[in-house]
Amino acid sequence: MADEQTTSGVGFAPEEIDPALPTRAARLKWVIVVDRDLPAGRAVNAAVCVAAATSTTVTGLLGDDAVDADGGTHPGLPWAGCSVLAADAATLRVIRAKATSSAGCFVADMPAAAQRTRVYADYLATMKETAADDVEYYAVGVVGPRNRVDKIVGKLPLMP
């Protein structure tokens, strides 16, 4: 689900990772924009799928595991944060287009076809037969320089 044109080189270098700083101090910003008209379950699924694709591709995004007072381990979370925003379907398409053409941005998306199929191979086949202009998006994730991401998503509201 990641866009091949935008995946190379986006991430944090080891010396940039500082979990003691506020999230706004991070060089890169991560947002996931979800179709505001989706039912809650579909919206959460779309956001989680985009997050999974992003967290495995963008280096340095996840912080160290946390260990509680009893020694239990809790897997690392995004140390630089992630905002989940809401937009209509047309705005999602515009955001994806702007992000994929913006240098230094990683884009992951959740096409509607991914939720409409139950077999991944069927999803791949559906996408192969769908023209880019006809792809409907349920969620789009963007990681990139803070100022660029802010410009791309504008003042979208948090997902309710």
Side-chain angles (χ1 to χ4, degrees), residues 26-85:
R27 176 180 61 83
L28 300 176
K29 181 174 185 171
W30 181 15
V31 298
I32 298 173
V33 186
V34 179
D35 184 334
R36 69 178 182 211
D37 297 323
L38 289 176
R42 288 190 179 272
V44 170
N45 174 268
V48 168
C49 289
V50 167
T54 303
S55 68
T56 61
T57 305
V58 177
T59 58
L61 198 58
L62 300 180
D64 293 336
D65 292 350
V67 179
D68 63 36
D70 296 322
T73 302
H74 308 269
L77 298 173
W79 68 272
C82 177
S83 297
V84 181
L85 310 173

Side-chain angles (χ1 to χ4, degrees), residues 96-138:
R96 185 183 183 283
K98 286 180 179 178
T100 57
S101 66
S102 183
C105 286
F106 167 83
V107 179
D109 58 54
M110 174 70 161
Q115 284 190 1
R116 292 183 181 141
T117 57
R118 296 286 181 241
V119 177
Y120 197 75
D122 293 344
Y123 159 68
L124 296 176
T126 298
M127 290 300 293
K128 190 170 188 163
E129 296 174 4
T130 305
D133 289 343
D134 295 333
V135 176
E136 177 185 0
Y137 297 100
Y138 282 174

